[in-house]
């Protein structure tokens, strides 16, 4: 027998908010936020189709160095990481920038690889 809570839950979709913080690459002017936002808008799939965002998924720029994706219903944080990595690879930045989980549960940050430390270790040997 379904309870009242089950019937309420079925009618209401969960709203998830994800943030991708790109502050460091944007400050260094090697990362184009407008192109990244457009890439996400063009590539995010809803119900198996690209370009079908509708009212289920909204992409916003709350600041000039971050992107906020708000989704109703089922949406994966891992899918955003995948799309971000694909964008970086297309821009030939994947060798220098990595995507890591942010301080918040629903956020990612773009950070540089520590290339200088590896070079110092090689010269020390």
């Amino acid at each position: 027998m379904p309870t009242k809570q089950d019937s309420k839950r079925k009618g209401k979709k969960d709203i998830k908010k994800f943030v991708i913080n790109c502050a460091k690459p944007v400050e260094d002017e090697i990362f184009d936020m407008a192109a990244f936002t457009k890439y996400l808008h063009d590539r995010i799939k809803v119900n198996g189709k690209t370009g079908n965002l509708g009212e289920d998924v909204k992409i916003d720029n709350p600041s000039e160095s971050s992107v906020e994706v708000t989704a109703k219903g089922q949406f994966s944080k891992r899918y955003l990481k995948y799309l971000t990595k694909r964008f970086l690879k297309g821009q030939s930045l994947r060798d220098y920038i990595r995507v890591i989980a942010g301080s918040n549960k629903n956020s990612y940050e773009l950070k540089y690889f520590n290339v200088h430390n590896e070079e110092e270790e090689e010269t020390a040997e």
Side-chain angles (χ1 to χ4, degrees), residues 39-106:
Y39 181 85
L40 288 178
H41 189 274
D42 293 343
R43 301 295 170 115
I44 288 180
K45 288 186 178 182
V46 177
N47 298 329
K49 297 179 183 177
T50 57
N52 185 26
L53 296 181
E55 294 184 16
D56 291 338
V57 178
K58 295 182 181 177
I59 301 171
D60 206 13
N61 286 59
S63 69
E64 63 184 36
S65 64
S66 67
V67 175
E68 185 176 287
V69 178
T70 307
K72 292 180 185 174
Q74 187 177 14
F75 196 82
S76 173
K77 179 182 169 188
R78 182 82 176 114
Y79 183 54
L80 281 179
K81 184 174 184 176
Y82 165 75
L83 288 174
T84 305
K85 285 181 171 182
R86 285 206 42 191
F87 177 77
L88 290 172
K89 184 162 178 110
Q91 301 292 318
S92 302
L93 296 172
R94 184 76 180 99
D95 295 333
Y96 310 106
I97 299 175
R98 62 184 179 160
V99 183
I100 61 170
S103 58
N104 189 356
K105 178 180 156 186
N106 293 328

